[in-house]
Amino acid sequence: KAALLAAKTACRLPVICQMTYAEDGRTITGTDPKAAVILLDAMGADIIGANCSVGPDKLLEAAKQMVPYTNKPIIIQPNAGMPVLENGETHFPLSPADFGKIAPEFAKAGVSYLGGCCGTTPEHIKAAYDLLEEAEIPQRENIEIPAAVCSASEVVQIDQPRIIGERINPTGKKRFKAALQANDMDYILDQAVQQVDAGADLLDVNVGMPGIDEKGMMIRTVKALQSIGGTPLQLDSTIPAVMEAALRVYNGKPIVNSVNGEEASLQNILPLVKKYGAAVVGLTLDENGIPKKAADRFAIAKRILDRATALGIPKRDVYIDCLTLTASAEQDGAKETLEALHRVKTELGLKTVLGVSNISFGLPNREAVTRTFLTMALENGLDLPIINPNIA
């Protein structure tokens, strides 16, 4: 991520990104081919693949994992097998014939460029070339890439409802505020572990409150969370500088929470989403606040989508939050939220987000109210409920 960011910042030349995988199919720091290609594609790599590593049989599996997640060309350069030590010298066991015979399988899988790395010779390359002359490479420019986010080690595909844990957030939480003021990272990490154990697929991370260095705390929190697990994160801040700091230290493709229909928000946040290859939550509010009617919220969602895609952010990476209002204060709000959610899902074809528990603030039997509204939201197309998984 750092190398690609540096290259894209320094010049406009095409950039090829290749990773190296061990026999277990991951890098030495735990990244698998799916996570790597998801991030590298989102950040604008021009060609993505793998080199060195192991022999062609093992890198064929890596290639098959990469292909569904990008329209970019895939490049693979295997070793001539795993090295062995013979008579004090390193030896690569695959002959040119054995190396070349797997070449058609790479073409069949959708690989665009095939070469060789350690232990390969001109004869190895010729053996592969001779068997590739008649091979047909599938056209991949228009494949439908699934919506997904990732950490350095885990991929979460948004192909069914996924839970975003809401507990790493000081809003309405005295104990969490005290932890932030005391720099009590153990408490914050405990909140993360509890939510993951309870079924959270992603974790929202918000450390904004008066009286602390939000940027410094966000950086420390993101790094600490990454040190104990691989659950992907949703980075949550209203301050662009804090958001960019979090994006720079996050190892993967996160969700940015959030942008909204205000011009300042669109101008400040969407370029960061594009630069760092994130997905983004769009809130259906603007300079006039949260519209009461579903039609007006839908219009803001459409405006956010148009501005995002104009910057080159893929439609699959735009998630819309139609905003849950407290039923005790806005009794018609629940119906309007559900109608807006349904329209965003069916008419725009976007993934949807809701802070579900907002519906029950100030009401008795909050858990029952929240569960009921969650069920209704799921029926109307909710993909990413932001909830407390420990009680939902």
Side-chain angles (χ1 to χ4, degrees):
K1 178 175 180 176
L4 176 55
L5 182 61
K8 299 291 283 188
T9 302
C11 70
R12 296 186 177 182
L13 295 174
V15 181
I16 302 171
C17 292
Q18 293 174 279
M19 303 287 281
T20 300
Y21 299 99
E23 287 189 284
D24 65 357
R26 292 180 177 266
T27 68
I28 58 172
T29 54
T31 299
D32 68 11
K34 289 188 294 184
V37 75
I38 285 169
L39 174 63
L40 295 172
D41 178 90
M43 289 187 63
D46 297 283
I47 302 175
I48 303 168
N51 65 7
C52 198
S53 308
V54 289
D57 54 340
K58 292 293 181 65
L59 279 194
L60 177 60
E61 177 56 34
K64 289 179 178 178
Q65 290 186 47
M66 294 179 193
V67 166
Y69 290 94
T70 183
N71 284 315
K72 306 288 181 61
I74 298 292
I75 181 171
I76 302 290
Q77 294 176 264
N79 289 343
M82 286 294 290
V84 295
L85 193 63
E86 293 182 354
N87 301 320
E89 294 185 357
T90 301
H91 172 68
F92 290 85
L94 279 189
S95 67
D98 288 337
F99 181 88
K101 69 182 182 182
I102 305 178
E105 294 300 314
F106 283 101
K108 182 179 178 181
V111 171
S112 301
Y113 301 99
L114 182 64
C117 198
C118 301
T120 61
T121 65
E123 287 73 27
H124 287 81
I125 304 304
K126 185 177 187 304
Y129 177 85
D130 289 344
L131 290 172
L132 283 172
E133 281 193 295
E134 304 300 324
E136 293 186 9
I137 300 176
Q139 296 299 310
R140 298 176 39 252
E141 288 80 3
N142 297 314
I143 64 171
E144 185 174 348
I145 300 171
V149 294
C150 67
S151 66
S153 59
E154 293 184 21
V155 171
V156 174
Q157 192 166 315
I158 317 301
D159 56 355
Q160 64 185 55
R162 303 290 188 183
I163 296 172
I164 301 176
E166 69 178 7
R167 295 296 299 168
I168 304 178
N169 188 318
T171 303
K173 304 179 185 73
K174 291 182 180 180
R175 179 65 183 89
F176 196 91
K177 290 179 180 179
L180 291 177
Q181 290 172 332
N183 195 27
D184 184 356
M185 197 58 65
D186 287 342
Y187 178 81
I188 297 172
L189 296 180
D190 182 63
Q191 292 297 301
V193 171
Q194 287 186 34
Q195 290 183 99
V196 172
D197 287 347
D201 300 292
L202 305 103
L203 296 173
D204 185 77
V205 181
N206 184 322
V207 295
M209 62 173 286
I212 70 166
D213 173 12
E214 184 178 344
K215 179 178 175 180
M217 179 57 75
M218 177 65 90
I219 291 171
R220 290 193 295 276
T221 301
V222 170
K223 288 184 174 181
L225 289 168
Q226 292 180 145
S227 73
I228 65 162
T231 303
L233 304 181
Q234 175 173 272
L235 306 174
D236 188 349
S237 177
T238 60
I239 303 173
V242 173
M243 184 61 70
E244 181 160 24
L247 287 165
R248 289 187 74 85
V249 299
Y250 182 70
N251 300 323
K253 176 183 177 180
I255 302 173
V256 165
N257 187 14
S258 58
V259 70
N260 61 57
E262 296 182 22
E263 186 59 32
S265 179
L266 294 168
Q267 290 184 5
N268 291 327
I269 301 300
L270 288 181
L272 294 178
V273 173
K274 173 62 177 174
K275 179 179 180 180
Y276 292 96
V280 63
V281 174
L283 306 180
T284 55
L285 61 85
D286 59 15
E287 292 84 354
N288 298 314
I290 302 173
K292 290 186 177 296
K293 295 298 182 182
D296 296 323
R297 297 188 206 181
F298 177 84
I300 294 173
K302 179 68 165 58
R303 184 160 76 247
I304 293 171
L305 174 62
D306 290 345
R307 291 290 290 272
T309 54
L311 275 178
I313 300 169
K315 179 179 176 180
R316 65 180 177 273
D317 288 336
V318 180
Y319 312 154
I320 295 296
D321 186 339
C322 293
L323 299 171
T324 308
L325 302 177
T326 304
S328 58
E330 295 276 352
Q331 294 185 20
D332 293 333
K335 176 178 178 295
E336 297 297 333
T337 294
L338 294 174
E339 182 181 337
L341 188 157
H342 182 76
R343 289 193 62 188
V344 165
K345 184 72 172 182
T346 58
E347 297 178 36
L348 298 181
L350 299 180
K351 303 299 182 184
T352 56
V353 183
L354 276 182
V356 177
S357 61
N358 292 347
I359 195 71
S360 61
F361 282 147
L363 294 175
N365 202 4
R366 282 197 64 188
E367 294 179 18
V369 174
T370 300
R371 280 196 298 268
T372 301
F373 184 70
L374 173 59
T375 301
M376 297 170 71
L378 291 169
E379 290 175 347
N380 280 277
L382 177 59
D383 298 288
L384 294 164
I386 304 175
I387 59 175
N388 180 359
N390 301 85
I391 62 174

